[in-house]
């Protein structure tokens, strides 16, 4: 039996199991009655906070032992597991008619992936590193091959030419690592600077609790005593003798940086962060001159540095943290180069400072602040700086030499994604960048910063075929209530009419300053090729139009995110790209908060709402200091434990708390049992409250992956099945498929 047959058989069995015994069909003439949804028990819990009282009927769904469940999902409470299992069964029974469509979409999506694929090799010293997939592989194989041609090592040229091409060396087969496991994800992998060791971090349950393994590349041996309870972040010291990593505490937070000999030995505490509201990580500067410990939340940061010449030294503060000031340092051979929003540089600027005195008193502008030109990131090689800038929801790359001369890598399209990949070695004149658009597959280029010549290294192949000329990409600007213009990227086939008749999927996120790139996705074509219009709303809360676009939709202006999304939908309706009640809204994580909010605010606009791992229980989550992301995210949302105004404002939009009797659209909420970011009980509670409240008769469904976390399934094909499921729900919602169940 193949996997598709197994899915169909399982769904059929669950359909029968969800029916009352007397309603199960025993013959062809017996009519089938609709599946009966689970009814969640109510155990009212009265919560008094800041003189305000709320009652939560479904707090029992949160497992008091959730920290242990993250590391071992089998420890989930029996009544919670029973309810989640019943919810999954009900959803599968309700959506059983979509199984052929799910299977078809999955095969389409799989057919657009080049199964035997590999990345463009990244050169570093005498080696080139890459990842490859073989036909049928769910997971990548990490590889390297000896480098041919000429390059620089310690300022001296090296040349190697082989008569016979060298044989690639396998560093890690993640398929073997995943064998026999329900979930396995390699979150980070890196070689040591001397190329003798290879380290990788595996998350084996979806909870983002990692083990870090180190492999001796001369012997092929995975060294004993892997590092446990790690975030997945690690770095070798520049001399390759030590490995640094970030610890994950019992509440799932990064709290300490440790160091030990790279080949194993006693661990030494390097740094401990006492503020629960800060994230920490460790890395090396581009020139391998320093190890850098980064400490930051959404609005404040600090860096501590360790010189490469003394990797066991105590870390030294580069510039003390100051609330609402961010800075991100790198070292450029003879000086520091720092991206920062200091001095009211809302869209960031780039400064430089002497190596020995890197504090702010010694910062001088290298690239001054320009309002509306958001400096997203900086990449350094020996004699050049590349920077990525964003404006009006598009990106551009600027190259600067040591003399200060600049030039731009430009693109002339209405909506696109241009991404600076930087370089994997310091002594080079070549940086890598990628380009795509909603209709155009990714092209990867190597760009010589000195000669300005670009070399096309790879064009994303779509084996089943794809012609960009068959599609139209548009950039619209939706007027918000306060006069701001919200960019909206639209993708459709040329043959799709713009008269309101086409179904529309509108995607949004709008939090943490993360922009939504106008990028290419083969998966979306499974909707677009069926006559759908796919749109991305570049709403406030992201940085699509600069950092101020983010600042204008957080804390007490967070509702701008939601009203921008509604404005985008209304503009698409007025322009003929959709019509009310014929739109499916989709968003995940903090974008799931967006889904919950617009579901409450304007349920009439949507045929369906897909909330993927949705952050919907805002007040309860942001009041629970034990949860991994609560203290670090108070700068984003506010602190409802201490601030009455924050409590009241958050309560006014919290999707779970604002559910009331009204005609809601069809809703699909998804989650992962071992998700540390948006815990499983958020979508579970939302569905439990939403289902009895809706007056529309439209279904409210829950899909909990019992073997994964925030990112869903780990295998590249298993993940496609989840995408196909969600898109099939969108089609089902537009077609009112539940009426035929």
């Amino acid at each position: 039996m193949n996997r598709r047959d197994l899915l169909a058989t399982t769904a059929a069995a669950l359909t029968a199991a969800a029916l009352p015994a007397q309603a199960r069909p025993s013959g062809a003439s017996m009519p089938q009655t609709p599946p009966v949804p689970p009814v969640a028990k109510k155990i009212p819990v009265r919560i008094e906070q800041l003189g305000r009282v709320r009652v939560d009927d479904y707090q029992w769904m949160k497992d008091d032992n959730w920290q242990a469940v993250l590391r071992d999902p089998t420890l989930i409470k029996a009544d919670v597991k029973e309810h989640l299992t019943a919810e999954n069964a009900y959803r599968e029974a309700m959506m059983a008619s979509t199984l052929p469509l799910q299977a078809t979409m999955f095969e389409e999506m799989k057919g657009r992936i080049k199964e035997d694929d590999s990345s463009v090799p990244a050169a570093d010293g005498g080696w080139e590193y890459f990842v490859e997939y073989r036909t049928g592989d769910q997971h990548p194989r990490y590889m390297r091959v000896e480098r041919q041609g000429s390059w620089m090592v310690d300022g001296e040229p090296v040349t190697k030419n082989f008569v016979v091409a060298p044989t690639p060396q396998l560093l890690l087969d993640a398929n073997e690592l995943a064998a026999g496991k329900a979930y396995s994800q390699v979150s980070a992998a890196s070689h040591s600077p001397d190329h003798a060791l290879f380290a990788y971090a595996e998350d084996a349950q979806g909870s983002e609790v990692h083990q870090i393994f180190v492999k001796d590349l001369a012997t092929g041996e995975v060294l004993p005593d892997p590092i446990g309870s790690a975030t997945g972040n690690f770095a070798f010291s520049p001399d390759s003798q030590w490995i640094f990593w970030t610890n994950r505490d019992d509440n799932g937070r990064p709290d300490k940086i440790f160091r030990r000999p790279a080949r194993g030995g006693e661990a030494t505490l390097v740094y401990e962060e006492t503020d629960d509201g800060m994230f920490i990580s460790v890395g090396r500067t581009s020139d391998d001159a320093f190890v850098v410990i980064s400490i930051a939340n959404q609005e404040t940061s600090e860096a501590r540095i360790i010189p490469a010449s003394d990797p066991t030294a105590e870390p030294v503060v580069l510039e003390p943290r100051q609330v609402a000031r961010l800075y991100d340092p790198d070292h450029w051979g003879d000086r520091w180069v720092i991206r920062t929003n200091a001095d009211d540089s809302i869209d960031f600027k780039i400064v430089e400072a002497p190596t020995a005195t890197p504090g702010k008193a010694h910062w001088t502008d290298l690239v001054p602040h320009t309002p509306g030109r958001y400096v997203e990131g900086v990449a350094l090689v020996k004699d050049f700086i590349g920077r990525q800038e964003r404006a009006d929801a598009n990106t551009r790359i600027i190259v600067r030499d040591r003399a200060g001369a600049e030039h731009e890598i430009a693109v002339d399209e209405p909506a696109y994604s241009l991404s600076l990949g930087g370089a994997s070695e310091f002594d080079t004149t070549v940086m890598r960048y990628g380009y795509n658009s909603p209709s155009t597959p990714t092209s990867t280029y190597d760009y010589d910063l000195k000669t300005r010549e670009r070399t096309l290294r790879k064009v994303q192949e779509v084996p089943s075929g794809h012609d960009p000329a068959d599609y139209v990409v548009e950039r619209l600007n939706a007027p918000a209530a306060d006069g701001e213009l919200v960019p909206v990227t639209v993708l459709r086939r040329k043959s799709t009419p713009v008269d309101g008749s086409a179904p529309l999927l509108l995607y949004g996120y709008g939090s943490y300053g993360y922009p939504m790139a106008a990028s290419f996705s083969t998966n979306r074509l499974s909707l677009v090729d069926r006559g759908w219009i796919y749109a991305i709303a570049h709403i406030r809360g992201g940085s699509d139009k600069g950092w101020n676009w983010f600042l204008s939709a957080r804390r007490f202006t967070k509702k701008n995110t939601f009203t921008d999304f509604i404005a985008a939908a209304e503009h698409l309706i007025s322009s003929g790209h959709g019509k009310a009640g014929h739109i499916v809204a989709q968003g995940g994580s903090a974008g799931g908060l967006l889904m919950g909010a617009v579901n409450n605010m304007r349920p009439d606009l949507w045929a369906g709402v897909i909330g993927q791992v949705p952050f919907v229980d805002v007040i309860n989550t942001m009041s629970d200091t034990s949860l991994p992301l609560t203290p670090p995210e108070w700068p984003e949302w506010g602190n409802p434990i201490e601030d009455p105004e924050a409590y009241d404002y958050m309560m006014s939009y919290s999707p779970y708390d604002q559910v009331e009797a009204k005609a809601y659209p069809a809703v699909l909420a998804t989650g992962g049992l071992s998700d540390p970011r948006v815990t499983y009980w958020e979508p579970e509670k939302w569905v439990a409250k939403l289902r009895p409240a809706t007056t529309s008769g439209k279904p409210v469904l829950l899909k909990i992956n019992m073997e994964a976390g925030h990112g869903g399934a780990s295998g590249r094909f298993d993940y496609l099945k989840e995408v196909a499921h969600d898109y099939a729900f969108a089609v089902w919602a537009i077609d009112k498929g539940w009426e035929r169940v």
Side-chain angles (χ1 to χ4, degrees):
M1 181 183 294
N2 62 33
R3 176 63 176 162
R4 193 186 313 169
D5 292 334
L6 178 60
L7 281 172
T9 303
T10 301
L14 288 171
T15 300
L19 299 175
Q22 67 272 20
R24 293 177 188 165
S26 59
S29 62
M30 178 173 287
Q32 182 171 332
T33 59
V36 178
V39 177
K41 62 186 177 183
K42 292 185 178 182
I43 305 176
V45 175
R46 185 180 187 274
I47 304 167
E48 184 171 350
Q49 189 170 326
L50 295 175
R52 290 135 175 88
V53 175
R54 63 184 186 274
V55 176
D56 191 344
D57 290 332
Y58 303 110
Q59 186 167 302
W60 65 268
M61 292 178 174
K62 175 187 175 183
D63 197 313
D64 295 332
N65 195 33
W66 66 265
Q67 294 96 332
V69 172
L70 280 182
R71 296 170 185 258
D72 183 0
T74 64
L75 299 176
I76 189 78
K77 288 193 302 185
D79 58 344
V80 174
K81 182 178 181 180
E82 180 182 0
H83 184 72
L84 292 175
T85 301
E87 285 283 7
N88 278 339
Y90 171 67
R91 173 192 44 80
E92 293 199 24
M94 286 293 291
M95 291 184 60
S97 65
T98 70
L99 284 171
L101 177 59
Q102 290 184 47
T104 299
M105 284 187 166
F106 168 72
E107 292 298 337
E108 290 170 359
M109 294 174 186
K110 187 177 178 183
R112 298 188 194 106
I113 294 177
K114 189 175 187 297
E115 290 201 36
D116 56 336
D117 201 6
S118 62
S119 66
V120 179
D124 184 13
W127 297 90
E128 291 186 316
Y129 292 83
F130 62 99
V131 297
E132 68 175 17
Y133 287 91
R134 298 175 301 184
T135 299
D137 280 354
Q138 288 262 32
H139 302 274
R141 289 159 47 93
Y142 294 81
M143 310 290 295
R144 73 175 180 181
V145 65
E146 288 186 82
R147 186 176 182 179
Q148 297 197 65
S150 299
W151 62 92
M152 303 295 290
V153 174
D154 297 328
E156 297 296 326
V158 175
T159 301
K160 265 190 183 179
N161 292 303
F162 298 96
V163 176
V164 178
T167 301
Q169 177 185 359
L170 175 65
L171 307 179
L172 169 67
D173 187 338
N175 298 280
E176 293 180 359
L177 186 67
K181 300 173 184 174
Y183 185 97
S184 176
Q185 181 75 40
V186 175
S187 303
S190 178
H191 60 277
S192 58
D194 64 2
H195 305 279
L197 300 173
F198 180 77
Y200 55 94
E202 184 201 18
D203 174 3
Q205 60 278 318
S207 65
E208 302 178 34
V209 178
H210 294 76
Q211 279 191 300
I212 299 172
F213 301 87
V214 180
K215 183 176 182 179
D216 185 322
L217 295 180
T219 66
E221 175 191 9
V222 177
L223 300 176
D225 300 323
I227 296 164
S229 195
T231 65
N233 163 248
F234 66 86
F236 287 103
S237 60
D239 65 2
S240 302
Q241 299 305 302
W242 304 89
I243 187 169
F244 295 77
W245 72 92
T246 305
N247 183 71
R248 190 178 290 281
D249 69 12
D250 290 340
N251 286 337
R253 288 194 197 103
D255 66 336
K256 300 180 182 73
I257 303 293
F258 285 101
R259 178 193 70 239
R260 81 176 196 190
R263 293 178 179 271
E266 184 178 351
T268 300
L269 178 64
V270 177
Y271 174 74
E272 180 174 7
E273 177 56 47
T274 58
D275 185 345
D276 286 341
M278 305 298 281
F279 296 103
I280 60 173
S281 62
V282 64
R284 298 194 309 270
T285 56
S286 294
D287 61 359
D288 273 349
F290 292 87
V291 172
V292 179
I293 296 171
S294 299
I295 308 148
N297 59 23
Q298 281 83 20
E299 66 176 8
T300 303
S301 68
E302 179 179 276
R304 299 185 178 222
I305 56 177
I306 302 170
S309 59
D310 189 6
T312 62
E314 288 292 315
V316 174
V317 175
L318 189 149
E319 168 65 21
R321 70 189 74 177
Q322 178 180 308
V323 173
R325 183 178 66 198
L326 294 165
Y327 72 91
D328 179 23
D330 200 354
H331 199 257
W332 198 26
D334 62 351
R335 73 194 78 171
W336 289 96
V337 170
I338 302 166
R339 172 183 166 270
T340 181
N341 67 349
D343 307 314
D344 297 319
S345 302
I346 291 175
D347 284 309
F348 289 74
K349 63 179 178 177
I350 302 174
V351 301
E352 59 183 349
T355 296
T357 54
K360 186 178 183 301
H362 304 280
W363 292 0
T364 58
D365 286 0
L366 190 66
V367 178
H369 174 243
T370 300
R373 183 196 64 183
Y374 171 45
V375 181
E376 286 191 304
V378 177
L380 308 179
V381 293
K382 186 177 180 182
D383 292 316
F384 295 90
I385 298 175
R387 71 177 185 270
Q388 183 168 307
E389 298 179 350
R390 181 174 294 274
D392 294 325
N394 281 328
T395 50
R396 66 176 190 161
I397 296 171
I398 309 296
V399 176
R400 180 187 181 95
D401 64 20
R402 283 190 175 268
E406 294 190 348
H407 68 274
E408 178 182 352
I409 301 174
V411 174
D412 185 20
E413 278 203 70
Y416 59 88
S417 175
L418 191 64
S419 56
L420 178 62
S424 52
E425 57 186 353
F426 187 66
D427 196 353
T428 182
T429 61
V430 176
M431 282 190 189
R432 182 163 294 164
Y433 73 90
Y435 167 79
N436 61 39
S437 79
S439 64
T440 307
T442 301
S443 293
T444 302
Y445 295 93
D446 279 350
Y447 184 77
D448 192 303
L449 308 166
K450 187 175 183 180
T451 66
R452 305 190 185 185
E453 295 177 354
R454 69 177 188 175
T455 303
L456 178 62
R457 296 297 305 272
K458 182 180 180 179
V459 177
Q460 180 183 356
E461 184 178 336
V462 182
S464 60
H466 176 73
D467 185 354
D470 292 338
Y471 301 87
V472 174
V473 176
E474 300 170 274
R475 172 58 58 77
L476 309 179
N477 284 289
D482 60 0
E484 290 284 357
L485 294 178
V486 180
V488 183
T489 299
V490 175
L491 172 68
R492 60 179 174 86
R493 288 191 70 90
K494 280 185 175 178
S495 57
T496 300
V498 186
D499 58 6
S501 63
L504 168 67
L505 189 142
L506 180 59
Y507 184 88
Y509 186 73
S511 287
Y512 307 118
Y514 294 157
M516 288 293 101
S519 57
F520 182 72
S521 167
T522 57
N523 296 337
R524 295 170 189 160
L525 300 179
S526 284
L527 287 179
V528 174
D529 287 349
R530 283 179 169 79
W532 282 62
I533 294 175
Y534 189 99
I536 301 170
H538 303 279
I539 51 184
R540 278 176 282 188
S543 58
D544 306 67
K545 291 181 71 172
W547 197 245
N548 204 47
W549 201 241
F550 157 60
L551 295 177
S552 60
R554 64 200 288 260
R555 294 186 191 160
F556 299 112
T557 56
K558 186 62 201 170
K559 290 181 185 178
N560 284 336
T561 299
F562 318 139
T563 54
D564 279 2
F565 190 82
I566 291 168
E570 291 176 330
H571 188 67
L572 288 164
I573 292 168
S574 66
S575 63
H577 290 85
K579 66 181 179 182
H582 207 58
I583 304 170
V584 174
Q586 182 184 25
S589 196
L593 163 64
L594 168 67
M595 294 300 101
V598 300
N599 191 46
N600 287 330
M601 295 167 69
R602 288 295 305 275
D604 59 298
L605 289 175
W606 326 113
V609 169
I610 303 172
Q612 300 161 298
V613 290
F615 170 44
V616 285
D617 192 11
V618 179
I619 290 288
N620 283 322
T621 293
M622 296 312 298
S623 300
D624 186 346
T625 58
S626 73
L627 293 174
L629 299 185
T630 294
E633 294 201 351
W634 285 330
E636 177 83 8
W637 312 106
N639 182 347
I641 301 173
E642 299 178 352
D643 184 351
E645 187 180 2
Y647 183 104
D648 292 341
Y649 187 76
M650 294 163 69
M651 179 61 76
S652 72
Y653 68 75
S654 175
Y656 176 66
D657 296 286
Q658 293 302 315
V659 168
E660 59 186 5
K662 63 178 62 174
Y664 286 105
V667 172
L668 171 65
T670 71
L673 187 59
S674 52
D675 185 349
R677 297 172 183 255
V678 178
T679 48
Y680 70 84
W681 57 83
E682 292 214 32
E684 183 186 16
K685 290 172 65 177
W686 186 41
V687 165
K689 191 170 184 180
L690 195 60
R691 186 180 290 138
T694 185
T695 61
S696 67
K698 298 177 182 179
V700 178
L701 305 179
L702 178 65
K703 181 180 186 290
I704 295 291
N705 190 326
M706 305 294 279
E707 297 174 337
H710 198 65
S714 56
R716 61 173 175 161
F717 302 134
D718 288 342
Y719 170 72
L720 293 180
K721 293 172 183 175
E722 296 187 341
V723 178
H725 172 276
D726 294 352
Y727 282 179
F729 170 85
V731 173
W732 188 71
I734 290 286
D735 294 344
K736 300 181 180 179
W738 63 87
E739 294 181 347
R740 298 183 292 276
V741 176

